[in-house]
Amino acid sequence: MCGIVGYIGERKAVPILINGLLSLEYRGYDSAGIAVLNNNSSNENNYQLEIVKDKGRVNNLKNNDKIKDLIGNVGIAHTRWATHGIPSKENSHPHIDNTGKFAVVHNGIIENYTSLRRKLINNGYKLYSETDTEVIPNLINMYYSGDILKAVSDTMKELKGSYAIEVISEFCPDKIIIAKKDSPLVIGTSEKGNYIASDIPAILTYTNKFYFLDDEEISVVQKDSVEFYDINLSQIHKSIKTIELDSQSSEKNGYEDFMLKEIYEQPNAVRETIGSRLSLSEKTNLNIDYIDFKKFNRIFIVACGTAMHAGMAAKPIFEKFCKIPTEVDVASEFRYRNPLIDEHTFCIFISQSGETADTIAAVKLAKSFSATTLSIVNVIGSSITRFSDYTIYTHAGPEIAVASTKAYTCQVTLLGILAIYMAEFLGYDDKNLQSFKLALLKLPDKLKEVLDTSKTLKKYAKKIFNQHDLYFIGRGSDYAVCMEGSLKLKEISYIHSEAYASGELKHGPIALIEKDTTIIGVITDSLTSKKTISNLEEAISRGAKVLLITNQNIDNDKIDFTVSIPPIHTLLSPIISIVPLQFFAYYIAKFKNLDVDKPRNLAKSVTVE
Ligand code: M6R
């Protein structure tokens, strides 16, 4: 995880670095720091490396008095999500070597740092932090004999694991050296200088022209040039890509929190995701015409967290309309369990950020077994898109809050469109598919309706926000929604919660039910609604209080509170029924006075395994 930014040019570096870090805080916010090459003397070649860093968020760093002394035009910066070592000033980046001449910021994990530490100590170096990163500036120092590029490439050859690094040094004050492997890094270029960041939005205010660094590549960034090398220092050529994104859409626009704004953006985000891909009169258009879907006998949907829940919600759609057995797997399991895949397997990967380490590894594994890989991603140009055979984008817009909301609804929507596309290709274009298509086109309006009805939950959230344990139950697609609702609640309200398939309750978990335990039931399928009602009654008989989210006509006076949501095709209900659960988690976190957008211990992009 962690976010890194860099700048070299004619402007002062610090404001650019701080702005970039603020936008990258979704990648971690345990500590933040900046290193700048300052020139305070009349001798224009006399540069000094100055560092300000501290525990806490970027605003803490911004308000640090020492920041105003950093006046240089060359700098690197970091916002940390702690992996090795507690969040503390000592463990904050930038890290320096023993001579204080090289400063490094790093995103990723150096897996062999213990042996590298030993090697450095045997060579007389001292290490002061608990981090894996501190070995990097010291290795650069050890290999430096006048050529920084060579010292960085020699260091890279020693590193195992993942890294995106930026290096500055008093020895070469006109350069930032950057390198990467399995962690993202982009370079934005403009007439006023060159910018480096972990993602595009962090520097989109300054330029829309970007270079993308690939794995095991190094770049020498100067104020008016950018050069690229492979790890053996052979020069390579890269072309600039122009990115059309709106930097304004990353603002809160009057909402109290990004999460609330993103919940409200769902009707529009889903409308954008449908775009011109789907219409009643024409074949679905996804620009993936080269895939021969007839050759697949199995589908795998692989992802992490909320994206995996989107896969769970979509599995029955693929099985019903494409008639291909579909398995959903957690990327961190898939990558290590030798899944049975070959050239007849279609692997779909889902990721909002496109940078999740386990999902990237899962894509690489699937490709190595000759499976066809397609990724559903929100962030344009992100790493997963570069590893997959095919990518289709959700058009959710930037999702800033750590808790994913609009990315999820857009992912399930796009998976639905993909299933329709495949069913049409396979010749299963019947009236059931047509009515599913029609329902999908109505989603933006249904989402608008559910935004209104969900607000009623505030009262209920106020009543129960002090509880310690909550349970969610549902069947089929409703169970997938329960998993996601429970994750939302855990991550932003810190309340323990679990989701069960309704029928499982009596096989163990019912032992946990006591007087006033809250159970949230989700019921959107008329075929199984009576069954789940019975399961809720079983819990009520043991003292539980029930909150029900439903689009069915359920007349039961034992239910404590009901949120009625608009009816929709059962297979699309996860896109609608999740909305009240998003609000529920949000209101509870607000009543508990918690930071909704940046919950403790989490980061938006999980770029380590
Ligand atoms: O960027 P990705 O979609 O690959 O991220 C996957 C998960 O880390 C993410 O969905 C996480 O579970 C969210 N914080 C949940 O709200």
Side-chain angles (χ1 to χ4, degrees):
M1 338 259 256
C2 308
I4 64 182
V5 201
Y7 174 72
I8 181 163
E10 61 188 47
R11 306 170 63 180
K12 284 222 176 356
V14 162
I16 296 165
L17 298 175
I18 294 277
N19 274 343
L21 287 185
L22 284 169
S23 131
L24 289 172
E25 265 194 319
Y26 73 88
R27 303 175 70 89
Y29 32 83
D30 289 331
S31 66
I34 290 186
V36 166
L37 285 161
N38 267 355
N39 180 346
N40 292 319
S41 74
S42 52
N43 177 354
E44 62 175 33
N45 293 319
N46 186 11
Y47 281 87
Q48 239 178 345
L49 194 54
E50 310 266 3
I51 294 180
V52 180
K53 59 182 189 177
D54 210 347
K55 190 179 155 180
R57 298 200 170 170
V58 176
N59 269 326
N60 202 30
L61 178 75
K62 190 176 169 186
N63 297 329
N64 188 318
D65 275 352
K66 295 191 188 121
I67 275 284
K68 62 178 181 318
D69 300 332
L70 305 185
I71 52 167
N73 315 98
V74 182
I76 56 177
H78 187 271
T79 178
R80 177 170 188 245
W81 186 80
T83 59
H84 294 61
I86 56 164
S88 67
K89 185 170 179 182
E90 293 66 38
N91 291 332
S92 318
H93 298 220
H95 286 281
I96 51 168
D97 69 304
N98 282 181
T99 63
K101 296 291 181 200
F102 300 96
V104 170
V105 292
H106 165 224
N107 162 216
I109 290 184
I110 305 306
E111 289 170 358
N112 58 337
Y113 85 105
T114 313
S115 61
L116 292 173
R117 271 176 93 96
R118 212 172 299 123
K119 176 173 176 161
L120 285 163
I121 290 166
N122 291 341
N123 279 282
Y125 287 84
K126 282 205 169 83
L127 293 149
Y128 298 95
S129 76
E130 302 162 296
T131 66
D132 51 341
T133 303
E134 201 186 352
V135 299
I136 303 175
N138 284 297
L139 285 171
I140 293 174
N141 167 296
M142 193 165 93
Y143 288 120
Y144 183 72
S145 54
D147 181 350
I148 186 143
L149 190 55
K150 173 138 189 353
V152 171
S153 112
D154 287 345
T155 299
M156 283 165 74
K157 287 175 186 162
E158 295 260 17
L159 304 179
K160 293 208 169 63
S162 57
Y163 55 83
I165 54 170
E166 296 177 318
V167 186
I168 54 172
S169 171
E170 289 173 16
F171 293 133
C172 49
D174 58 341
K175 295 183 178 85
I176 302 178
I177 312 292
I178 65 172
K180 80 160 233 105
K181 182 178 164 277
D182 294 334
S183 292
L185 210 50
V186 300
I187 304 160
T189 184
S190 84
E191 280 170 9
K192 292 198 168 9
N194 289 315
Y195 307 79
I196 303 149
S198 300
D199 76 12
I200 295 169
I203 47 179
L204 198 61
T205 332
Y206 313 107
T207 180
N208 66 349
K209 307 229 170 330
F210 288 89
Y211 292 107
F212 294 96
L213 206 60
D214 287 310
D215 281 348
E216 303 207 311
E217 288 181 352
I218 315 178
S219 174
V220 179
V221 186
Q222 296 190 266
K223 76 175 195 201
D224 41 22
S225 70
V226 188
E227 288 169 0
F228 298 94
Y229 299 87
D230 68 15
I231 194 164
N232 296 314
L233 299 185
S234 301
Q235 195 158 2
I236 42 189
H237 174 76
K238 277 187 187 283
S239 40
I240 292 179
K241 295 206 165 64
T242 303
I243 300 290
E244 302 303 343
L245 275 179
D246 173 11
S247 62
Q248 293 308 307
S249 48
S250 308
E251 306 296 327
K252 275 192 204 157
N253 290 347
Y255 285 93
E256 220 173 301
D257 312 271
F258 278 111
M259 183 179 174
L260 190 62
K261 172 184 173 236
E262 289 157 9
I263 290 175
Y264 275 102
E265 281 172 345
Q266 291 180 106
N268 208 31
V270 164
R271 182 174 291 111
E272 293 284 324
T273 298
I274 298 171
S276 58
R277 288 161 162 168
L278 196 68
S279 87
L280 286 180
S281 51
E282 281 167 45
K283 289 264 184 242
T284 305
N285 170 24
L286 279 177
N287 287 329
I288 48 171
D289 301 345
Y290 299 106
I291 309 180
D292 175 12
F293 291 100
K294 291 205 172 87
K295 72 177 184 189
F296 302 128
N297 54 25
R298 199 167 190 197
I299 299 173
F300 268 105
I301 305 180
V302 183
C304 302
T306 288
M308 195 275 291
H309 295 154
M312 283 178 67
K315 167 187 155 95
I317 308 180
F318 286 95
E319 294 197 328
K320 178 168 173 65
F321 295 116
C322 309
K323 307 187 199 321
I324 305 178
T326 303
E327 216 174 299
V328 182
D329 213 342
V330 174
S332 56
E333 291 294 311
F334 179 86
R335 65 181 290 192
Y336 290 119
R337 74 169 175 86
N338 293 324
L340 293 174
I341 43 180
D342 57 24
E343 69 275 23
H344 299 294
T345 317
F346 182 42
C347 290
I348 304 169
F349 301 89
I350 314 169
S351 177
Q352 188 287 129
S353 62
E355 302 295 349
T356 302
D358 283 319
T359 313
I360 294 175
V363 176
K364 290 181 181 170
L365 179 86
K367 281 187 83 168
S368 73
F369 283 102
S370 307
T372 300
T373 57
L374 177 143
S375 293
I376 291 193
V377 177
N378 194 40
V379 177
I380 295 171
S382 52
S383 301
I384 289 177
T385 68
R386 297 201 291 278
F387 293 117
S388 311
D389 297 321
Y390 302 90
T391 298
I392 44 180
Y393 286 107
T394 46
H395 295 304
E399 193 182 63
I400 310 294
V402 165
S404 186
T405 52
K406 61 177 180 169
Y408 167 86
T409 37
C410 290
Q411 284 159 353
V412 185
T413 302
L414 192 49
L415 286 160
I417 298 174
L418 176 62
I420 296 172
Y421 180 93
M422 287 170 59
E424 285 171 354
F425 184 101
L426 296 168
Y428 300 131
D429 193 355
D430 56 14
K431 69 173 188 327
N432 285 333
L433 191 73
Q434 282 304 311
S435 69
F436 181 70
K437 226 182 196 185
L438 183 63
L440 211 149
L441 288 164
K442 287 186 182 157
L443 277 172
D445 292 337
K446 299 272 179 181
L447 276 163
K448 270 193 195 148
E449 272 181 60
V450 77
L451 285 175
D452 275 342
T453 48
S454 300
K455 283 187 270 186
T456 56
L457 265 170
K458 190 167 184 176
K459 223 167 69 191
Y460 199 75
K462 190 169 186 185
K463 197 166 122 187
I464 62 150
F465 75 92
N466 274 325
Q467 292 196 359
H468 296 291
D469 309 281
L470 294 182
Y471 301 92
F472 292 75
I473 63 167
R475 287 171 188 257
S477 301
D478 295 335
Y479 171 48
V481 170
C482 287
M483 297 282 290
E484 174 56 10
S486 170
L487 175 67
K488 238 31 357 140
L489 187 71
K490 279 188 266 255
E491 66 179 334
I492 63 166
S493 78
Y494 315 149
I495 293 179
H496 165 247
S497 79
E498 293 189 45
Y500 290 103
S502 309
E504 277 296 290
L505 201 64
K506 59 178 133 346
H507 294 285
I510 201 161
L512 296 167
I513 305 297
E514 46 193 37
K515 189 171 174 309
D516 293 339
T517 304
T518 299
I519 297 216
I520 297 124
V522 181
I523 303 182
T524 65
D525 188 348
S526 58
L527 283 180
T528 54
S529 74
K530 289 206 169 54
K531 306 286 172 200
T532 297
I533 285 292
S534 303
N535 302 134
L536 289 170
E537 290 255 16
E538 287 153 15
I540 291 169
S541 316
R542 286 153 181 90
K545 290 269 189 297
V546 170
L547 163 64
L548 181 63
I549 314 292
T550 187
N551 57 17
Q552 307 290 301
N553 264 330
I554 292 168
D555 186 17
N556 187 319
D557 55 11
K558 291 186 207 141
I559 287 164
D560 211 27
F561 194 84
T562 301
V563 180
S564 297
I565 58 173
I568 186 90
H569 193 294
T570 311
L571 292 176
L572 292 175
S573 65
I575 300 169
I576 304 299
S577 55
I578 191 58
V579 176
L581 299 183
Q582 295 168 344
F583 272 105
F584 184 60
Y586 174 82
Y587 288 138
I588 289 187
K590 290 303 272 189
F591 283 125
K592 292 181 83 172
N593 256 327
L594 296 171
D595 185 339
V596 171
D597 288 338
K598 295 195 182 92
R600 71 183 179 203
N601 303 343
L602 297 177
K604 183 77 179 155
S605 268
V606 184
T607 57
V608 293
E609 62 170 297

